[in-house]
Structures are given as structure tokens and as C-alpha cells.
Amino acid sequence: MRFGIVGSGIRGRMYARSLGEAPGVRVAAVCDLDESSARQLGEEFGAAAFTDHRRMLADSELDAVIVATPDFAHRDVAVDSAQAGAHLLIEKPLATTREDIRAIHEAVEAAGVQCLVGFENRWNPAIRRLRELSAAGRFGEVLTQNILLSNTYYVPREMLSWAAKSSPAWFLMSHTVDAAGWVADKAITSVVARGSRGRLASLGIDTWDVIHALLTFADGTTANLTSTWVLPDSEPSIVDFKYQVVGTEAAVDVDLQDQSVRLAAEDYSWPGLLGGELDGRLQGPPTWMVQSFAARLLDGAPVGPGIADGAMVTDVVLAILESLETGAPTPITPSLAGTSAVSHA
């Protein structure tokens, strides 16, 4: 099976390597607007390199395409790839506007291809266990979830050249909105959000510093999300990720970053157990996700989470951003007719 990858940054390179370790697939083409970056990635993986994804699609006879472009730049690549008959793995969020969601959905439906939206935490063993415990009734009724997912300054200042066109809502809450809906298996009906901005703007990155969002589900229960981009760079990890589920019968707390490995040297760090290599092969949720995507395509099996899940998350994040601006509770407006803000896959 021949894969193309659009976007040769951190994620595109990780996907290329992960697929290189998977049976029955190969990276046949890569594309990036930066010609030198595309050429370097192509040479590393023996793939043809392009700067125009349309040329890549016309010349490469691809079975699947991974869209690893910035949050706001998914639509054209996804639509054109679907129309070329390629299955899709699209980085989260699926899109940042309802119009883009509808365009991608229509193209995928018309072409009859499959689409997986990259909510990698569904392959995170800890969050998967929370979902299993919830589905088995171990929590009783899930009453609330408290989820913290934040980054140090390194992410908006160094890692993302396009941080001013994104926010902690798009970059981080896309993960936690999906997780909250998946673990509770309930429809999200409204949000109230509060936040602050100014610190990153003073550094030339005009976006939100801190966002808090209270999600309300159809049965009146809640999930409380917090994401920031202003943790000190002296933190032991660039990511802080903590998750609590409280139910009528049980509660559970998970620290997804301090994974019992603490290194004290010239500084203090949490090396973590997820990610990295084992026997020279990449491990961790994003690698397992893309390898599962490839394996299921090879087997002719359905993939997911799909467009309905991606649309749900985008709808909720749009409501969060609207509530930040208005200060008012904001109902969830589904982008796709006949869908609701719930994630079952």
C-alpha cells in the first residue's frame, strides 16, 4: 500500500518513520511547501518529493494520504486527496471551520474513501483504560471529568511557527474534548469558557495564554478542561497532562506525564515511558495510531475515529472560542446534519 505524507515537520517525519516500520506499506511520496524539507524527508525514506500536493497526487498513484499540515490548512489537501481516491489520516483537529468540515465530509462521502482523524490519545493506554472502565460500568455514572493538558512556552515560541494562527483550544483541547466525550460516551450540548491573553501577545504571538472550558453533557453532567501555553520552560516536561474521572461508584486519577521516571541531573526532567524507541522501533500513541490505520486499511476493516468524531470536536472548540469572546454559555451547533456531539468510535 502506497502512502503519501503532506507536511514534513515533526509529525510528518514521525509518521514516515512509523510507516517504515509497518508491514505491507511504504511511504511513496512526501510533500511540503519548503522544497529542501520535502527533499530531505524524501531522500531519507526513498520517497518522491513534491512542493505541490496536487502534483504529488497526479504523479504518485497513492492508496492513502496523511495530512500533517497546520490546523487551519487541512481542507484543500484532504479534499483533493479524497477526490483522487486516497484514504485519509488527518491530524487533529479535522478542521477549524464548519465550512471546511462540510467540504471534507462531502469529498470523502462522494469518493467512498475512509478517513481517520488523529486523536492519538485513543491509543494512549491510560485513556483507553479509562474508556474501558467507563464502558464496563466501573465508575457507575460518570459525574464529572477534570482534564489538564498544557505546554511550556517552548511549544508556541519554538515548536510551532504558526502558533499565532492557533491556540491552546485548537492545539490542546482538541485532544481533551475528544477524550471527555469518548470516556463518558455522552453528547456534549454546551460550553462555558473563560481565559486570558496578553503574555504571548507581548512576545509577538497574538493568541490565548490560558483557557478554561466547562463542558455540559446532555444529562447535565460536566467535564472541566484547562489548557495553557505559558508554563515555564524550566518545567520537567514540555507537556503537563493530568486526568481525573469521578463517578457515582468510583473515581480515578491519572498523571499522564510523570510516568514514574524522574531524572535529576543538571536539571530535573520526566523522560516518560510513552514514545521513544524500543529495539530501534518507535513506540507510543501516534505511532500505534498510524500503524493501526495502515493495518486496518490492508485488512479492509473500518477505521476510526472518523469525520463525525472530528466534526464533534471542532464544533465544541468553536463553541469554546465563541464563549471566550462573549462570556456566555454557548450551545453546540453540529456542522453535519444528523450528527450530535458524541463520540462512539
Side-chain angles (χ1 to χ4, degrees):
M1 181 168 283
R2 296 166 56 87
F3 273 70
I5 299 175
V6 182
S8 63
I10 294 172
R11 298 291 284 189
R13 181 169 297 276
M14 179 277 299
Y15 286 134
R17 184 171 173 194
S18 299
L19 288 171
E21 298 168 354
V25 301
R26 76 180 185 92
V27 178
V30 298
C31 180
D32 197 282
L33 294 176
D34 184 325
E35 184 177 1
S36 63
S37 179
R39 185 184 304 113
Q40 181 181 12
L41 186 62
E43 289 175 354
E44 184 175 346
F45 291 94
F50 300 86
T51 56
D52 184 332
H53 73 272
R54 295 176 180 87
R55 175 62 63 184
M56 179 190 76
L57 293 167
D59 292 354
S60 304
E61 297 183 359
L62 300 173
D63 299 297
V65 170
I66 296 175
V67 182
T69 54
D71 299 349
F72 52 85
H74 292 170
R75 175 178 175 166
D76 289 348
V77 179
V79 168
D80 292 339
S81 298
Q83 290 175 345
H87 301 294
L88 292 167
L89 189 160
I90 303 175
E91 270 287 358
K92 64 81 199 165
L94 170 65
T96 57
T97 70
R98 292 187 175 90
E99 292 76 16
D100 286 0
I101 287 174
R102 296 186 189 108
I104 295 170
H105 177 255
E106 289 170 5
V108 167
E109 289 291 299
V113 297
Q114 295 209 67
C115 178
L116 183 148
V117 182
F119 297 119
E120 66 182 60
N121 280 298
R122 299 209 187 188
W123 283 263
N124 185 315
I127 294 179
R128 184 174 287 263
R129 180 58 59 87
L130 295 181
R131 161 75 174 191
E132 291 168 350
L133 290 170
S134 178
R138 292 293 299 277
F139 300 133
E141 179 189 359
V142 175
L143 299 176
T144 194
Q145 300 173 72
N146 296 291
I147 314 173
L148 169 70
L149 178 58
S150 294
N151 293 142
T152 64
Y153 282 102
Y154 171 80
V155 169
R157 296 188 68 183
E158 304 292 336
M159 194 175 90
L160 301 180
S161 61
W162 41 273
K165 296 182 179 180
S166 185
S167 70
W170 289 119
F171 193 70
L172 296 173
M173 284 185 174
S174 290
H175 286 299
T176 54
V177 167
D178 179 67
W182 193 49
V183 169
D185 197 18
K186 300 175 182 178
I188 302 166
T189 55
S190 68
V191 303
V192 178
R194 296 291 185 273
S196 61
R197 58 193 304 162
R199 171 58 179 159
L200 288 172
S202 74
L203 300 174
I205 306 166
D206 191 10
T207 190
W208 292 91
D209 299 335
V210 180
I211 300 175
H212 305 281
L214 182 67
L215 314 183
T216 299
F217 295 96
D219 63 355
T221 58
T222 59
N224 184 49
L225 314 183
T226 294
S227 287
T228 76
W229 262 354
V230 290
L231 294 179
D233 285 328
S234 58
E235 286 282 325
S237 170
I238 66 170
V239 180
D240 188 16
F241 194 1
K242 297 180 175 65
Y243 203 127
Q244 180 188 59
V245 180
V246 179
T248 55
E249 303 299 328
V252 64
D253 292 274
V254 180
D255 190 327
L256 288 129
Q257 198 54 46
D258 180 3
Q259 299 165 25
S260 303
V261 180
R262 306 180 186 188
L263 175 65
E266 65 277 4
D267 57 12
Y268 187 68
S269 64
W270 297 337
L273 300 176
L274 292 176
E277 296 182 2
L278 184 63
D279 292 334
R281 298 171 66 87
L282 284 181
Q283 306 293 315
T287 290
W288 298 328
M289 176 182 68
V290 71
Q291 290 176 348
S292 172
F293 174 66
R296 294 183 73 82
L297 289 180
L298 284 167
D299 290 342
V303 304
I307 287 182
D309 301 283
M312 180 276 290
V313 170
T314 291
D315 291 336
V316 173
V317 174
L318 287 171
I320 288 170
L321 294 171
E322 181 179 340
S323 183
L324 284 171
E325 297 293 345
T326 66
T330 304
I332 308 304
T333 303
S335 294
L336 301 179
T339 66
S340 61
V342 66
S343 179
H344 293 292

